[in-house]
Amino acid sequence: MTLFIDLTLNGLSYGAIYAAVALGLVLIWRATRVINFAQGALATLTTYVAASLLDRSINSWVAFAAALVAGLVFGAVTERVFMRPLYGKPELNPVVVTIGLLILVESVAGAIWGSTDRGIAPPGGVSQSGIILGHTYLDFSAFDIFILGSVIVLMVLMLVLFRWTSLGLKMRASAFAPEVARLLGVRVGRILTVGWALATLAGALAGMLVAPLVFLSPNMMDPMLVYGFAAAVLGGLDSPVGALVGGILSGLGISYIGGYLGSSMETVGAALLLIAVLSIRPEGLFAAAKARRV
Amino acid sequence: MSLIEHRLPGAKSLERLRSQPLVWHLLLGVLAAAVLYLLTSSVSFYDNTIIAEIAWYAIAIAGLSVLTGGSGQISLGHGAFMAVGAYGAGLMMEHFRLPLVVPILVGIAAAALLGTVVGLPATRLRGPYLAGVTLALALAVQDLPTKFSSLFNGDSGIIVNQATPPGGVNPQRWLAWISLLAAILTMVVLANFMKSRFGRALKAVRDDDIAAQAAGLNPNRMRVLAFAVSAAAAGLAGGLEALWGGIVSPNSFSLFLSIQLLAGMVIGGAGTLIGAWWGALALVYVPQWTNSITSHLSSASTVTANLQNAVFGVLIIVIMMAAPSGIQGWLRAGYRRLRRRPSSLASALSPPLDLSSTSTPPERTSP
Amino acid sequence: MKDSIRSRGRPLAAAAVLSAAALASALLVIPSSGASLRPARTPGVTAHRIVLGTTTPLTGPAAPGYDEIAPAANAVFSYINAHGGVHGRKITYLIKNDQYDPTLTVQYTQQLVENDHIFADVGGLGTPTQTSVQSFLNKHHVPQVFVESGCACWSQPKKFPYTFGWQPNYIVEGKILGAYIKSHFGRKRIGYLYQDDEFGQDGVKGLNREIPHRRVVGEQNYQGTVQGLGAGLGSQVSALQSAGAQVVALYTIPAATALALLAAAQLNYHPIWVVSSVGADPPTLAGLLGAFSKGKAGASLLNGMITNAYLPPETAGTNPWNRLAKAILKRYDKGFHWDGNSEYGFALGVTTVEALEQAGRNLTVKSFLNALETHAKALSNPGLVPLIYSRSDHYGFSGSEVVKITHDGRAISVLTPREITTLRGPITVYRGKPDSIPAQFRK
């Protein structure tokens, strides 16, 4: 029973992180119909930005905020420099450019900071010791609560932005009917830039949350991107709520499989589950019922 | 250029040959084989190793290209099909003494079987959802050798008895021949496949499956078959790699391999068979060049170590920006431009071979 | 439109094939400069130069830590070159980044042999990577020496006379640690956590040869692939805690050791950790865990950890070899960190120089192998135990000592060096003294 509780809690924290990565992928997919494979690498880069600030003894909350701001900037730059010229070209091209970026950005991180793993402390010295419940320590710390809390705050903010602000309305309009939006005076290009910036911010958050759990290295986000992508596909690429649910489900699933069936079944089990779910719901759990795109 | 065309004595009979795709493709194949025989005999043994590597990369990319170009499906798991082909062939070579072609065929069959199994649920999946499933497949297949360690010898991999070449031929040259022969056969088969009634039907399904259904085609069956054919090509590539490397280990078939294959396909030109060769050349030579430069730099710093991948990343980005239809599309566009403005340059440049029908839209020839 | 372009292109395509054929035949007439006939003299050796090569991961998921080894070895060569070289020959060390992918290992190793004409492949890293080139190197009579892996497969002198291991093999290490566990914690419940590959599995094999099966209450592992640590080690450690393991033996890489320690600290789980030398490097672990020292966790987590060592512990500041290593690395390896990996690279570099020295002025492949097989004792190096090289064995270090990490990160010996001179043989006490620093490193 203790094991079950620990596996659940462990799965929840990792699941929240996968959800943040998935949210970034969903935002970009909705806006530009691109799977951004560079999402993880960009998040690694923003985490290194925070790490270099920490090296200079700058307040850890400032470093945390700096990583998020760096996410906004990197996302915007990526869209303007690398994606903008490719709209209207064969649809695989921007995807392959993000693969190129993934390779390039990880090399840049490796060139600047080396490939040695580094430990990153949680911001503000939030404790990583397990919370005591009765006489047992749970596999759940103040930092785990922080992980879940910050991902939920991010989700809520995004939801508010989309539903209740004019920027959100413009973003939705640009994503689903760019021509109409343009006619209505929306500066679609600028809106897409904002979309990429926000998505990369979500990734940057994931990077800052996972670094204290798995250490920082140029390839830190590779598995996160893989699981985040699986989570986004599971939840439905058009649905931010799906990203959250998909992320949590992936986290729990991988934790249970690893704990009960052994680590070599983690990916095998995850793959089978993904295939099973998609066989029933080909566009993910939260797919909007919609007509065939022509 | 058109002058040559008219003066060529065999032009008429060539014209007739062309009307029969199989004969035409076989003829081109035989010619290519002759050229490549001469090539392999004139370069170093090491270059032969590289040629063999390019050949099996080209086979895998061509298979992927048929899938994406033919039926519009995207796979991030072709490394897994290569792994299955490699393990299938490798296990046969490890345990039995058989003519080389048998283990390779077993590898192909195993990959095709997995391709069919994956292709079944994949018929309902589009774009990124299919990419997600195939990606999961790539990861899962990489972990199976450790799960079934007694059969696959885990992470260390199985050692493949490399066949001894007949008549004292150098083993590297022998491997280059085998790989090239397999590659040419694959190209001929795939070119015919795409030219056949089936290939055309596949494209109809890709472009509009409802219309295709109305015309009496079964889109799901076609997609599964496309998946199987594509996986079979990857399986062949895997079997050849097993032979080439002398070992089959999960480390050779990481997710990065699948991503590289996809990148190689798009760099070369998605949907074209010649493009597969450009993609293979890029995958093999770019790291090669950058590595020879960096390994001679005196300081082994983190910068030089990462230069190799950085250049590869930049190259992918630049090609996608400068030549949206890949290298093959770019060459074609350039060739077309030259034809429009005939000059002495035109006759000096050999035009790209076109074994396949392309699915990529012609590139706009803006200045 | 598209069709018409294509149909006009076809005869041209045929013409192109024909002209390409003509071009290729023309190429045949021109003598090829690339044809690699191996020269009759010893490849890679001239009066003033020795060319060595290696493949190792400098980037990618396998690079952390391991990317320090080849540069550290190269620093030793640079030092020797600056002091006159070996028998007047300067060493060139070509380092190729294979990213731990056997496909690249095959490609780069052939390039090193056939294009760069290396004398020997020194310190290639990894089991699957080096296995993939073992028969190639042997077939081409290129020494494959000091392979950076503890696989028993490097010692097959009949089949692979040119291959030599270096570090103690994982089974031997496991037996020494297992024997220590049995004699000191014989009544406790024991758990294993290992990387699910040949490194971890062989380690467990060694442990199991000494530890009675009924004492083992839990076995957990993680995958050695990219996503292997993508969900941390929380569930594995939690399972070991549930099983009631009081001693946990780790066959893990340093990052995984640190993750396990963190997960255990979070669960307030404090077993006795017994960690193989591969994953126990105190400076690396302290660096990873140091960021947490403000919280409850910290470098103090290492306190009481048991591990084995075949090189002097890095914290032994007065050890003459360590002082030499730091001096050389500081001068010749920009941006080095003093940890187990750079020490490993340094020791491997020293062994290489010593082997070349012993092979004599007239350096050939034969004299080099002969030096290894018959003068193994004369190869001075920092190791705590001797290198086992003979006509019948190509193992490398024969065993290790067992050390305990103190609260301030120092390693103190709790069991003097033990060795196993043949793989199936018993564990014996090694009574020899450490080597002194040879003359060419005292200049």
Side-chain angles (χ1 to χ4, degrees), chain C residues 348-432:
Chain C
L348 195 137
V350 170
T351 313
T352 309
V353 169
E354 283 292 287
L356 291 170
E357 187 75 31
Q358 289 297 325
R361 195 163 291 280
N362 181 21
L363 178 64
T364 60
V365 171
K366 209 175 159 205
S367 74
F368 183 69
L369 297 187
N370 199 44
L372 289 176
E373 288 184 340
T374 58
H375 297 87
K377 289 268 184 305
L379 307 177
S380 301
N381 68 73
L384 304 173
V385 287
L387 288 161
I388 304 267
Y389 295 139
S390 66
R391 299 251 181 253
S392 53
D393 281 312
H394 286 179
Y395 279 121
F397 287 116
S398 60
S400 55
E401 66 171 4
V402 178
V403 299
K404 187 186 229 170
I405 310 297
T406 62
H407 63 92
D408 53 354
R410 282 182 307 116
I412 49 167
S413 179
V414 290
L415 188 72
T416 57
R418 294 291 190 271
E419 62 174 352
I420 300 175
T421 47
T422 55
L423 196 54
R424 295 252 157 214
I427 302 173
T428 54
V429 179
Y430 174 68
R431 296 189 194 281

Side-chain angles (χ1 to χ4, degrees), chain A residues 32-38 82-102 196, chain B residues 68 74 262-271 313 315-327 329-330 359-364:
Chain A
T32 48
R33 297 282 135 184
V34 172
I35 295 296
N36 179 18
F37 281 100
F82 298 104
M83 292 297 124
R84 189 65 60 90
L86 291 167
Y87 297 141
K89 298 279 160 59
E91 61 179 344
L92 260 183
N93 287 25
V95 181
V96 173
V97 168
T98 65
I99 291 173
L101 265 179
L102 157 77
W196 272 74
Chain B
T68 305
I74 298 166
L262 185 74
M265 175 190 75
V266 181
I267 287 174
L315 185 89
I316 291 176
I317 296 170
V318 167
I319 290 181
M320 283 297 94
M321 299 268 199
S325 309
I327 296 173
W330 178 76
S359 73
T360 43
E363 197 186 342
R364 257 175 289 159

Side-chain angles (χ1 to χ4, degrees), chain A residues 65-92:
Chain A
L68 301 186
V69 173
L72 284 174
V73 175
F74 293 164
V77 169
T78 306
E79 197 278 334
R80 290 306 292 252
V81 177
F82 298 104
M83 292 297 124
R84 189 65 60 90
L86 291 167
Y87 297 141
K89 298 279 160 59
E91 61 179 344
L92 260 183

Side-chain angles (χ1 to χ4, degrees), chain A residues 93 110-111 226 237 264 267 279, chain B residues 124 129 139 143 147 302 306 324:
Chain A
N93 287 25
V226 167
L237 274 162
S264 60
T267 54
S279 298
Chain B
R124 297 187 60 197
Y129 295 95
L139 296 180
D143 280 351
K147 177 72 189 165
T302 56
N306 282 283

Side-chain angles (χ1 to χ4, degrees), chain B residues 38-39 41-43, chain C residues 21-33:
Chain B
L38 296 176
L39 180 71
S41 317
S42 63
V43 296
Chain C
L23 192 71
S25 8
L27 270 175
L28 267 183
V29 184
I30 306 163
S32 160
S33 56

